[in-house]
Amino acid sequence: MNTLGYIRVAAASPEVKPADVDFNINEIKNQVAIADKKDVDIILFPELSVTGYTCADLFYQQNILEETEIALQKLALFSLNTNVTIVVGAPLRVKNDIYNCAVVINGGKIIGAVPKTHLPNYNEFYEKRWFSEGSKCNERCYLDSELTFVSRNILFEIAGAKIGIEICEDLWVPVPPSCDMAMAGAEIILNLSATNELAGKHRYLTDLIAQQSARCRCGYVYASAGLGESSTDLVFSGNCIIAENGAILAESPRFSLGPKIEIRDIDIEMIRNDRIKYSTFNDSSNKRYEILKMPSFASEESFNNGELLRYISPHPFTDGDPQQFRERCDEISSIQAWGLAQRLRAIHCKNTVIGISGGLDSTLALLVTVKAYDMLGYDRKGITAITMPGFGTTTRTHSNASVLMQLLGVTMLEIPISKAVELHFKEIGHDPSVHDATYENSQARERTQILMDMANQTGGIVVGTGDLSELALGWCTYNGDQMSMYGVNASVPKTLVKYLVEGYANTTDNPEIRRVLLDIIDTPISPELLPAAADDSIEQKTEDLVGPYELHDFFLHGMLRHSFRPLKIYLLACHAFNGKYDKETIKHWLKTFYRRFFSQQFKRSCMPDGMKVGSVCLSPRGDWRMPSDASSNLWLKEIENI
């Protein structure tokens, strides 16, 4: 495992010739050599890969069993010249039984073997004809002139990670052995398989692997038999699949000639953090496993050299299958709208007040409120949408706000704030030519006062518009836009706000609404609290002041969702944003993120109610609790030392 908590794994499916052990071992060696050059920690081969899966009654032949043991000894000797732990499938004779086993080889030795627990004996499978069930075996037998432990109750510690092994059918049963292995500490599950192809089976298989990796909060490496296996009755395409905590990291092409190998880095640190955070994970652990340890030889500096073998999404809150874009947008906006609808029903209220600026956040909040009213069958006129132009309001944002309110059929009000704020400046003795925090925050608080008073006047509630990214950075005015009576965007980060507004734009039947929404998306993000430029363009751009929101959302996801330390977040950001931001820029804004995140906790400690829509949330009643005066020194010091 490298210093950032990654372990490099390979799933390989070499060409085989059924019963030709020498040929098969040479093909295995070729792929081990490829993996060794890539600094792989573990390489996994298919079920019975030493002999081929389709040998049938040839498994009874004494010479094939003896040649298998000799071949394993040769492979162990070969492993002396590599830094890779090798896991191959082989039939092993133990006393008077033959077991379908996964054999683990490292540093010149056969470390141990795990027999298959569940033997399929239905339809095209009849493994019980040759093999005994793994539950019968808990023996030490002589392989490679040394006693080797053959048992299903063993785990392996490889490169600092705990590894469990199951074989093919073991995954398909109601309670796979990997469940107990994960509960006993296994962080990666290896599955040696010989899954034949059937129409519709492959999608089911990938879903099964992804879900098992999610249920066990583990990495899952799957290597299946392929090229060369007998096609007498079945077809094997050599699936190599690597999953991690519910996500497929790698999947080999099907029905292609030649050997296959997929190599990826699995994040063990992320898996461990998840298991700690989700406290129910260990509640059901009741099996004991013996752990066989072995050294790691893989380079600890491979990531630092820019060779991370996995995709790191620069937009973790929005990246996903483009085909599911509409469905995902609808689901999230429905969660938001349903939360607001439930609140309105609970308090017997049909009136809401919302401030509309022509920016992304208030646009999304208005769209969500309209959707909630439509769910409830309420008249949209019960939504009082107020635009409150001030010193920094531009024609573009004001126009977009007004047009959107009109198109959505809500009650429209315009209440300018400039005169009221100027009077306030006079009363408190503030020079309006000094554009400081008082100048800006007075406007934000004046707008909030108007919204609160209008809510009293209409017998309604104020719908908050502030988003998760602003809460994380404290980019909101305390007791100004920080406050509302229900915050529909409170757990929606800025990158997701843009994504959702785009979703609304792509699904509306009204071309004029679409035009306005797309223009709002293209408008620079700004609180518009400082005067506009001479050409009426936005002068005060938020991302110039606090940094790019896509970086801050990346930092936020790494810190809150995975509890990563600053160094790891920095290195992952350098990888994800390579070519867009240089390292110094990323370091600068990472420091800004941590400094602001710690110093602005007091604003989050008293934030209003608002529904949770994703895995990251800052509600002080739910996902995030920290003292407002906690020190950030530990985190900032690590960033300074990068």
Side-chain angles (χ1 to χ4, degrees), residues 77 151 266 369 481 512:
L77 187 63
S151 171
I266 290 179
T369 305
D481 53 314
E512 188 61 16

Side-chain angles (χ1 to χ4, degrees), residues 310-354:
R310 62 179 288 148
Y311 173 67
I312 302 297
S313 169
H315 305 117
F317 290 105
T318 62
D319 270 4
D321 186 350
Q323 301 299 322
Q324 298 177 352
F325 172 75
R326 177 176 295 197
E327 179 183 340
R328 189 161 185 260
C329 286
D330 183 65
E331 180 181 34
I332 295 171
S333 63
S334 294
I335 292 171
Q336 291 179 277
W338 188 248
L340 178 58
Q342 288 290 88
R343 175 54 56 94
L344 293 173
R345 287 183 73 250
I347 62 176
H348 308 290
C349 177
K350 291 189 176 182
N351 295 307
T352 53
V353 176
I354 183 169

